[in-house]
Amino acid sequence: MTVLSQVKSNLKVEEAIYDELLPAGEGWMYDLKPGQVFRIVDIEGNQAADTLFFDTNNLEDHYSAIATISAQKNVYLSTGSILRAESGKELLKIEADTVGRHDTLGGACSAQSNTVRYAHDRVTMHNCRDTFMKQLAQYGKNYTKRDLAPNINFFMNVPLSSEGGLEFADGISGPGHYVEMRALCETTVLISNCPQLNNPCSGFNPTALRLLIWEK
């Protein structure tokens, strides 16, 4: 099981220009400026932060798992990973990470996937895809559900089996762990703080995230 480098940040929380708590099940969108540093904190541990990125000036050029994985030749994300758009453009770079591995293959939970993974009676449960679509509709700028793409699941543990399959396993993050990245261009962040009550990655107990931003 590949674990990449764990690197702590030297940034001070009291110097952040933005500090917000995002409850489980809620969504968030924000436009980062080039050079700004963005940190997601897993407050209680083993939460899943379903995240997408967009080139703010070209909405169609969103985060690409394929371009990112191909360039770094590794399916996991951690310190040093460059998060790339469909065009290959570099959107952000992960500069600090106290977990060591994040998923970009498992995708976001949806009403449909909940019925496939768990049971048909879970179709009405709140899910990340619905949160994504709600945020896109509220944010404006002509975003639609067609702008949704395979996302990153920060803090989520989805190891690959020897046969090449995906396994949704117990989380490896802990209280206060974080991932921190620098915007390399104007980048819009979209987060669904996963409400999933069925997923062992979050210990069946969704919790809040802390979001911080520093100027360059």
Side-chain angles (χ1 to χ4, degrees):
M1 192 180 296
T2 304
V3 176
L4 303 183
S5 56
Q6 299 175 358
V7 176
K8 291 185 177 181
S9 171
N10 58 10
L11 293 177
K12 298 179 180 179
V13 170
E14 59 270 22
E15 295 177 355
I17 63 167
Y18 184 96
D19 187 350
E20 186 78 22
L21 290 181
L22 182 64
E26 296 296 320
W28 183 82
M29 285 190 80
Y30 192 94
D31 293 338
L32 293 173
K33 302 201 177 302
Q36 286 186 327
V37 177
F38 173 51
R39 179 189 294 179
I40 307 174
V41 183
D42 187 2
I43 297 175
E44 296 190 37
N46 295 338
Q47 180 56 9
D50 290 42
T51 308
L52 267 173
F53 299 103
F54 302 83
D55 179 344
T56 304
N57 299 308
N58 181 7
L59 306 185
E60 295 183 357
D61 205 17
H62 51 66
Y63 170 77
S64 169
I66 294 175
T68 300
I69 291 169
S70 296
Q72 70 172 13
K73 297 180 173 56
N74 194 311
V75 297
Y76 301 117
L77 306 176
S78 187
T79 308
S81 291
I82 303 291
L83 309 181
R84 299 174 184 268
E86 287 283 336
S87 65
K89 183 176 183 177
E90 298 181 353
L91 298 176
L92 306 100
K93 181 178 181 179
I94 298 178
E95 296 190 335
D97 174 22
T98 61
V99 178
R101 188 179 72 235
H102 304 271
D103 167 63
T104 188
L105 294 175
C109 61
S110 66
Q112 294 76 19
S113 67
N114 282 342
T115 64
V116 172
R117 290 178 185 165
Y118 308 112
H120 284 286
D121 62 3
R122 310 296 167 87
V123 69
T124 58
M125 293 187 71
H126 187 38
N127 60 79
C128 286
R129 182 174 174 81
D130 286 348
T131 299
F132 279 155
M133 290 194 291
K134 179 181 179 181
Q135 288 297 310
L136 292 176
Q138 292 178 334
Y139 206 68
K141 295 189 179 181
N142 298 315
Y143 285 105
T144 72
K145 63 182 179 181
R146 295 185 64 182
D147 293 304
L148 293 181
N151 58 283
I152 297 171
N153 296 306
F154 287 115
F155 311 120
M156 196 161 159
N157 185 23
V158 186
L160 287 173
S161 70
S162 57
E163 294 77 27
L166 297 180
E167 187 180 330
F168 291 84
D170 291 343
I172 58 173
S173 179
H177 284 215
Y178 58 83
V179 59
E180 187 175 286
M181 59 212 87
R182 183 179 299 274
L184 303 177
C185 64
E186 290 187 72
T187 303
T188 299
V189 187
L190 169 60
I191 294 178
S192 169
N193 188 11
C194 188
Q196 186 57 263
L197 294 168
N198 305 289
N199 194 337
C201 296
S202 61
F204 310 103
N205 177 39
T207 54
L209 298 169
R210 187 178 184 184
L211 309 174
L212 299 107
I213 298 172
W214 289 263
E215 288 289 7
K216 58 183 178 180

